[in-house]
Amino acid sequence: MANVFTTEAVSRLAQLGPPQTAADVVALAAVGVASAAYMLNGVVWNKPDPYNYVWYQVMEPRGGAGAGAQATRNIAQKLEESGKDVVIFWGSQSGTSETLAGRLAKECHLRFGLQTLCADLCDYDPETIALIPQTKLAIFIISTYGEGDPSDNTAGLWEWLHKRPFDIKLPHLRYMAFGLGNTSYRYYNRVIDVVTESLDKAGAQRLMPVGKANDASGGTEEDFLAWKDDLYDVFMGQLGFKEQDIPYTPSIKLIEDESLTLIDLNLGEPVEHRTGPARVIKAYSPIRPLTVQSSEELYSSPNRNCLHMELDITNQAELRYGTGDHLAVYPINSDHEVQLLLKAIGREDRAETPLLVQPVEEGETVKIPSPTTLSALFRHYLEVSAPVSREIVGQLARFAPNEKAAGLLSSLGKDKNGYAAFVSKNHVTFGRLLSLVAPGAVWKDLPLSYVVETLPNLQPRYYSISSSSVVSARKIAITVGVDNTPLAADPSTEVRGVTTNYLYSLANSINGTTSKSAKLPKYAISGPGGSLEGNKVYACIRRSQFKLPTVGTTPLIMIGAGTGMAPFRGFILERARLKAIGKPVGRMILFFGCRNPDEDYLYRQELTETAASLDGLLEIVPAFSRADGVPKAYVQDRVGEKQKDVCELLQNGANVYICGRASMAREVGKVVEESMKQQNNWTDADARSWAESAKKGNKWLEDVWG
């Protein structure tokens, strides 16, 4: 409409002829300026964000085998078209459930001749589960993470089961289930409990008790093996399946193709591919190479280090973070582990040969990029430093280069205690295992497809951002704890964090302190094809619910230990900035736990200075577990000692934040509930109800790990 009116005005002025007076000139100029301003709207001024379309975009694979769209989202139709007998659904946040599901699918085929489909829960519409016929079997392997939360790719199933549960009818579904959880969390294996209860109420037939893994003491693998033995008893007894020994049959094929050039290959760049509900996909930014501008060592001890790293996103206009978000860092495997595995399988001279990775069965997907090279697979795409399970150890016996190695592997695979004793002396990665049981031998009978299928995909590691987006919008800080504890005197047996030691190596390179780390693993820190030169790492931002309240006067209770301090540094810096510009700020208490005030008290001087600038609005309550001359105390002890202040803040609308180990969060939660119970003369049920309500209302937030 504005354009029509402007055009008419110009037309009428034209009919009057040339301007006669100064007023005419001014009027005509005003119309001209208004017309120009309108026509240039969105071009010169009020321009849209050119990167808006890519911020938290749907990520797609670069290309290669299996990169196409899923043929159907109807799981019943997929089973029928592919001639599968069993579907094994997996729901995983870190990749463990996916790995177990893949192993189970392979073994069900090898031992019983069953045609199995390993299915990502978010690849199929959950309502089509109701269409699975009684002639098929469904197995669910689903993890619980956080405080009883489903994994991202389980969200669709979770929402379907909760949306209209009384409308779901599953009279033909026969299923088994296994859950992955951790008793350090309050809601141990809640997701598998809720899913199976919902399936049962809908009329599904559960063929055996639900299996559960407890990772609190690293028991996931053995719990899974015990459940799998029970599963096979059901297969042979109740279902009448006959056990047989079928030769290994690969699900992928790797084809060398020297006609491919470097420009065709995926040499290590992370694959931007996410599936699932839109809200999950939008929680992630694009993956970009970010410059590590600086790295400072917060403390150093013989077996532990801690880094404060700052990453510059000035040149990444599409990236924005919020205080409390996470940074996902994509690691690189150490040179030693890569070369060890290449040597054991006799592929050192073919490591850079172009490889096509393709599914054996048409329509199946491959979750590693293709084309690529073996060097890129082992260095950037597969977890070559992951421990090897007892089950895999036993399977490797059939490919052993000599009878002695075969006997040892077979024995370890069958003997739980023998395997436990073996791994207590050796950190058993794939390459180390092959070298240990057959020193100097080449595993020429070990199919490359088996190695690639067996190794889990290399996953990013998540770090709480320790900076404030209000204070430094284009600079992201993370706090990285590095554990260098050896298992034994032999350095080759050491257990080293993949990402933390990669970042530590990069930090030493930035600061010119490589001589200090002569015994540490070496990494190709320049990245694939030099893409990370200039001290860069591949990373993306993940949105978090661990956020400051929108009202700055809301009181805060922050509780963390070790690197659990990270998000609270950002919170405190942001509140200090608000106060500095004259905004009202609420009272804050920070409970922080560490070993010794002279060793690992993170950001001590900065916190002291910031507290002073806040004029008494921030109280810091430390807890030292190994300080000389001071009784041992943990953060939950300090929370109990400050019970009166904590309850007063809570009654005044404070938000509670807990960050750190799940076991710590659980103990702190007990103390907070007990404090409110005593303060208000509540029953246990009242205190639990209050805590649940606070969590649902985002007044009690936790960012914890196992």
Side-chain angles (χ1 to χ4, degrees):
M1 288 296 290
N3 192 29
V4 173
F5 291 146
T6 305
T7 304
E8 289 181 359
V10 173
S11 177
R12 289 177 182 175
L13 284 171
Q15 293 174 6
L16 296 175
Q20 303 296 316
T21 66
D24 291 343
V25 173
V26 171
L28 184 59
V31 171
V33 170
S35 300
Y38 176 81
M39 297 300 292
L40 294 175
N41 179 22
V43 178
V44 174
W45 67 283
N46 195 30
K47 292 192 293 183
D49 181 356
Y51 297 103
N52 187 57
Y53 74 99
V54 296
W55 176 231
Y56 294 146
Q57 66 188 0
V58 176
M59 299 181 179
E60 296 297 340
R62 174 175 170 179
Q70 185 76 35
T72 177
R73 291 190 58 82
N74 184 324
I75 185 59
Q77 181 180 338
K78 178 69 176 179
L79 291 172
E80 189 62 34
E81 290 176 349
S82 57
K84 304 296 186 184
D85 307 304
V86 182
V87 56
I88 303 174
F89 291 111
W90 58 267
S92 183
Q93 195 69 16
S94 62
T96 305
S97 293
E98 179 182 6
T99 299
L100 296 181
R103 282 166 45 190
L104 181 61
K106 186 184 301 181
E107 190 171 345
C108 284
H109 174 67
L110 294 177
R111 288 186 63 170
F112 299 98
L114 295 170
Q115 298 301 316
T116 55
L117 173 66
C118 193
D120 185 334
L121 275 165
C122 69
D123 282 346
Y124 299 93
D125 296 326
E127 58 269 20
T128 64
I129 292 174
L131 304 177
I132 297 175
Q134 199 165 5
T135 55
K136 311 290 185 182
L137 288 176
I139 299 174
F140 296 85
I141 300 179
I142 302 176
S143 64
T144 296
Y145 86 103
E147 287 302 298
D149 301 317
S151 61
D152 289 345
N153 74 313
T154 310
L157 174 67
W158 190 260
E159 291 168 5
W160 176 63
L161 292 174
H162 285 81
K163 190 173 183 180
R164 300 185 67 177
F166 298 108
D167 293 341
I168 301 174
K169 306 297 180 187
L170 302 170
H172 305 299
L173 182 67
R174 298 186 302 159
Y175 80 97
M176 297 88 152
F178 183 78
L180 284 76
N182 188 318
T183 51
S184 295
Y185 294 87
R186 173 175 292 180
Y187 300 102
Y188 169 63
N189 261 309
R190 174 174 177 253
V191 174
I192 199 67
D193 286 341
V194 171
V195 168
T196 54
E197 181 181 344
S198 299
L199 295 177
D200 293 347
K201 286 182 178 178
Q205 180 186 2
R206 192 197 308 173
L207 299 180
M208 61 180 290
V210 176
K212 294 181 181 179
N214 181 11
D215 199 43
S217 55
T220 295
E221 178 65 30
E222 290 300 332
D223 291 337
F224 176 70
L225 294 181
W227 171 80
K228 186 160 62 66
D229 288 341
D230 294 339
L231 173 73
Y232 291 161
D233 287 342
V234 172
F235 277 5
M236 293 182 285
Q238 186 175 337
L239 301 178
F241 296 156
K242 302 297 183 184
E243 193 168 10
Q244 50 192 301
D245 185 18
I246 298 175
Y248 164 71
T249 52
S251 61
I252 60 172
K253 50 188 176 183
L254 295 101
I255 305 167
E256 292 188 349
D257 187 346
E258 298 192 28
S259 68
L260 295 168
T261 61
L262 280 177
I263 199 170
D264 300 319
L265 305 178
N266 295 269
L267 295 176
E269 303 88 347
V271 177
E272 298 199 84
H273 175 57
R274 299 191 189 280
T275 56
R279 64 176 177 78
V280 172
I281 296 170
K282 290 180 180 178
Y284 293 83
S285 80
I287 305 167
R288 294 290 182 263
L290 305 184
T291 301
V292 180
Q293 194 172 65
S294 64
S295 178
E296 174 190 354
E297 201 158 300
L298 297 176
Y299 69 78
S300 177
S301 67
N303 295 325
R304 297 191 308 148
N305 304 78
C306 190
L307 308 174
H308 173 81
M309 307 188 85
E310 296 192 349
L311 298 92
D312 187 7
I313 59 172
T314 302
N315 296 325
Q316 305 291 344
E318 71 272 34
L319 298 189
R320 301 177 183 88
Y321 80 97
T323 308
D325 281 347
H326 298 117
L327 187 74
V329 177
Y330 289 77
I332 295 174
N333 287 312
S334 72
D335 293 349
H336 174 71
E337 293 295 340
V338 172
Q339 293 304 318
L340 195 63
L341 182 53
L342 286 170
K343 183 178 181 180
I345 62 175
R347 298 272 181 163
E348 289 175 290
D349 60 338
R350 308 295 293 171
E352 304 300 334
T353 304
L355 274 179
L356 291 170
V357 186
Q358 299 174 344
V360 170
E361 294 189 25
E362 187 176 349
E364 294 301 310
T365 59
V366 175
K367 294 202 171 183
I368 51 177
S370 176
T372 184
T373 66
L374 200 54
S375 175
L377 284 177
F378 288 172
R379 194 177 300 281
H380 300 285
Y381 295 126
L382 298 174
E383 291 268 14
V384 300
S385 297
V388 184
S389 70
R390 179 163 61 89
E391 182 179 39
I392 299 302
V393 169
Q395 290 177 4
L396 282 168
R398 68 172 68 191
F399 307 118
N402 55 59
E403 290 185 5
K404 182 179 178 181
L408 176 58
L409 290 168
S410 181
S411 174
L412 289 172
K414 295 173 182 176
D415 182 359
K416 177 180 177 180
N417 294 329
Y419 171 79
F422 181 74
V423 297
S424 70
K425 297 178 181 178
N426 309 280
H427 177 56
V428 185
T429 64
F430 211 101
R432 292 186 192 187
L433 177 66
L434 301 185
S435 302
L436 278 169
V437 300
V442 175
W443 290 65
K444 60 181 184 302
D445 295 327
L446 177 61
L448 182 58
S449 58
Y450 180 89
V451 178
V452 174
E453 287 177 324
T454 300
L455 290 169
N457 285 8
L458 189 59
Q459 301 288 339
R461 272 58 167 184
Y462 294 90
Y463 296 90
S464 296
I465 292 175
S466 52
S467 54
S468 162
S469 58
V470 169
V471 177
S472 56
R474 309 310 296 162
K475 189 179 292 183
I476 294 175
I478 57 174
T479 308
V480 183
V482 186
D483 190 343
N484 299 320
T485 305
L487 274 179
D490 182 0
S492 68
T493 68
E494 290 178 344
V495 182
R496 295 189 176 276
V498 174
T499 310
T500 54
N501 279 273
Y502 160 54
L503 292 175
Y504 188 46
S505 177
L506 178 60
N508 284 327
S509 175
I510 292 171
N511 296 323
T513 54
T514 51
S515 60
K516 198 176 152 185
S517 59
K519 295 182 180 180
L520 295 179
K522 305 298 181 185
Y523 300 84
I525 57 176
S526 61
S531 59
L532 299 179
E533 287 182 353
N535 305 322
K536 294 183 177 69
V537 296
Y538 280 113
C540 72
I541 298 164
R542 182 176 71 177
R543 281 180 173 168
S544 167
Q545 298 300 313
F546 201 76
K547 296 292 187 183
L548 280 167
T550 54
V551 179
T553 54
T554 302
L556 306 181
I557 300 168
M558 300 168 285
I559 307 164
T563 54
M565 161 71 80
F568 300 140
R569 176 181 182 266
F571 286 8
I572 292 167
L573 291 176
E574 187 156 318
R575 282 285 177 94
R577 174 60 61 86
L578 291 176
K579 186 177 185 301
I581 61 175
K583 300 290 185 182
V585 171
R587 184 183 167 197
M588 297 169 280
I589 297 182
L590 170 66
F591 295 93
F592 170 62
C594 62
R595 295 182 180 184
N596 190 303
D598 299 322
E599 178 184 322
D600 56 350
Y601 194 141
L602 302 182
Y603 304 110
R604 185 175 187 177
Q605 182 176 347
E606 181 184 67
L607 286 171
T608 302
E609 294 171 355
T610 307
S613 73
L614 284 162
D615 298 329
L617 290 173
L618 171 63
E619 179 181 3
I620 301 172
V621 183
F624 305 121
S625 62
R626 300 185 188 179
D628 294 335
V630 178
K632 179 184 293 187
Y634 298 100
V635 284
Q636 58 266 31
D637 301 320
R638 294 290 185 244
V639 173
E641 292 169 8
K642 301 285 291 184
Q643 171 181 326
K644 184 178 178 181
D645 291 338
V646 168
C647 292
E648 180 183 335
L649 287 180
L650 288 171
Q651 288 166 342
N652 289 329
N655 279 20
V656 181
Y657 298 90
I658 305 174
C659 185
R661 294 270 176 195
S663 54
M664 178 274 293
R666 182 188 61 203
E667 295 304 316
V668 167
K670 290 178 182 177
V671 173
V672 172
E673 284 187 29
E674 182 63 27
S675 298
M676 288 295 283
K677 173 188 169 185
Q678 293 179 12
Q679 188 78 12
N680 296 284
N681 294 317
W682 286 344
T683 64
D684 289 341
D686 292 334
R688 176 59 59 86
S689 177
W690 167 81
E692 295 294 339
S693 178
K695 290 176 180 179
K696 289 179 181 177
N698 288 327
K699 298 293 288 180
W700 180 326
L701 295 165
E702 298 185 2
D703 186 357
V704 299
W705 52 89

